[in-house]
Amino acid sequence: MQPEDLARFRARLLALKAALETEGPIKLDPNRTDDIGKRDDDHQPLNEMLQSIASSRNRNRTAELRRVKAALERIERDPEDYGLCLECEEPVHLRRLELMPAVELCVKCQSAQEESASGGRRKHLTDYS
Ligand SMILES: [Zn+2]
């Protein structure tokens, strides 16, 4: 990876880390239903759905912060390692890193991992953005 790319990703990771650390858990606003894109007269199931979305976002945030810190550590320790898939050690596509600078796996390895983790149920990568 070019030093200027590395510097750019490092800056983005630092900004991400700061944002993840200062925002804290996502607070659920019960009046905000536009996330779903659909209004329902029966609000109870909708609120439960929002609760579960918020709690899964909080879990993702914790996992994301862990990945951001790990990526920054890799850059400090061994810059050559940054941008390589942790699984197959092939370079992760730059465009993928642009979208998710803390990503640890290439598309192929991540799909394989998600498929086995979810028992074959395939999740789209954009679920995590
Ligand atoms: Zn891989």
Side-chain angles (χ1 to χ4, degrees):
M1 183 179 295
Q2 301 298 311
E4 56 266 31
D5 284 331
L6 192 65
R8 189 159 42 92
F9 286 126
R10 184 170 177 274
R12 285 191 54 194
L13 283 162
L14 285 170
L16 260 174
K17 178 169 170 275
L20 288 165
E21 279 174 344
T22 52
E23 278 171 35
I26 294 167
K27 294 253 168 38
L28 184 68
D29 178 355
N31 293 321
R32 192 157 166 239
T33 56
D34 47 279
D35 266 354
I36 304 296
K38 155 179 168 219
R39 286 166 197 276
D40 205 311
D41 286 333
D42 186 1
H43 279 214
Q44 193 48 40
L46 185 62
N47 277 338
E48 276 171 22
M49 187 151 83
L50 286 171
Q51 297 270 6
S52 112
I53 288 170
S55 91
S56 118
R57 275 187 194 162
N58 287 338
R59 275 198 304 276
N60 287 344
R61 175 188 293 269
T62 309
E64 179 70 4
L65 184 58
R66 184 191 60 75
R67 280 193 297 269
V68 167
K69 284 179 174 168
L72 282 166
E73 269 170 37
R74 259 183 296 161
I75 291 177
E76 300 298 333
R77 201 181 53 221
D78 191 356
E80 304 261 304
D81 255 24
Y82 176 73
L84 298 184
C85 173
L86 292 190
E87 199 67 36
C88 66
E89 297 183 355
E90 291 292 320
V92 175
H93 203 285
L94 268 189
R95 272 198 55 200
R96 181 166 162 80
L97 285 171
E98 300 273 1
L99 290 172
M100 301 173 284
V103 75
E104 295 180 333
L105 300 174
C106 70
V107 177
K108 213 176 74 190
C109 293
Q110 178 147 7
S111 322
Q113 198 181 70
E114 278 168 12
E115 241 166 83
S116 66
S118 62
R121 196 171 54 90
R122 206 185 172 91
K123 260 192 174 166
H124 202 266
L125 293 176
T126 52
D127 285 351
Y128 296 103
S129 59

